[in-house]
Amino acid sequence: MKLSILTTVLFPTIATAFAPTTTRTAFTTISGSSALSSSATENARPDLPIEYEDDDAEFGDDEDWITENVPGKIVMNEIDLAKQVSALNQLEEKWRKERVYQEYEDKALLGWTPQAEMYNGRFAMFFLVVGLLTEYWTGVTIPGQIEEMLRVGGFIDVDM
C-alpha cells in the first residue's frame, strides 16, 4: 500500500522536477568556437523585454565616463569575431603548452630540473652546517672529516 502511494505521489514530482525545459539553445560552430545561432535566440524567451539602465544620461557629463567602444555595446561583424576567436584559440593553445611543460618539470626529480637543483642546494646547506658543527665540537676540519670518512669507508689506506 505504501509503495503504491510513494510511486503515484513521488515519481511524477521527481519526473517533472528533472524534465528538460522546452526552451533549448542551439549552438553552431564558427572556426572552432561555439556561438548562439539566430534561430535559438529568437525562440529563447520572446515574452521578456530587455531593459537597460541609461547610465550615459546620468554620468555623461563626467570626463572619465566612456561612451564609445564600451565592452558589451560594441557590435562586431562575423569576420572580426572569427579573427578574435582564432587569436583566442592560439593564445589558449600557447598557455596550455606552457602549463603542460610546467607540470612535466614539476614532476621530474632527476636531471637538470629546478626541483632537483632545489633539493641539491638544500642538502648542500644542511651538510655544510653539519660539517661546521662537527668541526666546532670535535676540532677536526671539514677536509679532515672527509679524510676520516674515506678511511672508515676503506677508500684510502689506514696507514697514510
Side-chain angles (χ1 to χ4, degrees):
M1 178 72 178
K2 289 182 182 180
L3 183 62
S4 64
I5 291 172
L6 287 175
T7 56
T8 56
V9 173
L10 288 179
F11 287 137
T13 308
I14 293 172
T16 56
F18 295 105
T21 58
T22 57
T23 58
R24 294 187 181 170
T25 331
F27 288 89
T28 56
T29 304
I30 300 173
S31 301
S33 69
S34 299
L36 287 170
S37 68
S38 61
S39 65
T41 56
E42 293 172 1
N43 296 333
R45 295 189 84 166
D47 56 333
L48 297 176
I50 300 173
E51 297 179 13
Y52 296 103
E53 294 179 16
D54 191 15
D55 291 333
D56 291 339
E58 184 178 348
F59 300 107
D61 296 334
D62 189 6
E63 63 185 38
D64 294 331
W65 189 256
I66 301 172
T67 57
E68 297 173 351
N69 295 330
V70 177
K73 292 185 178 180
I74 300 172
V75 178
M76 298 180 70
N77 60 15
E78 290 187 23
I79 295 173
D80 291 338
L81 185 62
K83 287 179 184 177
Q84 188 179 36
V85 166
S86 67
L88 287 173
N89 286 341
Q90 290 174 353
L91 188 62
E92 178 185 8
E93 182 64 21
K94 173 188 166 191
W95 285 107
R96 187 192 67 77
K97 286 180 181 177
E98 287 187 21
R99 180 181 49 84
V100 167
Y101 178 75
Q102 186 64 37
E103 289 174 357
Y104 170 76
E105 285 290 323
D106 290 342
K107 290 180 182 176
L109 294 176
L110 298 175
W112 298 103
T113 63
Q115 186 71 27
E117 291 179 17
M118 190 180 316
Y119 285 150
N120 186 21
R122 288 177 181 169
F123 289 137
M125 289 184 286
F126 173 75
F127 285 109
L128 180 64
V129 169
V130 168
L132 290 174
L133 289 175
T134 305
E135 181 177 349
Y136 176 74
W137 286 323
T138 63
V140 179
T141 64
I142 292 180
Q145 294 173 29
I146 294 172
E147 179 185 359
E148 184 67 26
M149 183 180 64
L150 292 175
R151 285 180 197 267
V152 170
F155 293 106
I156 58 175
D157 192 18
V158 179
D159 295 335
M160 281 181 83

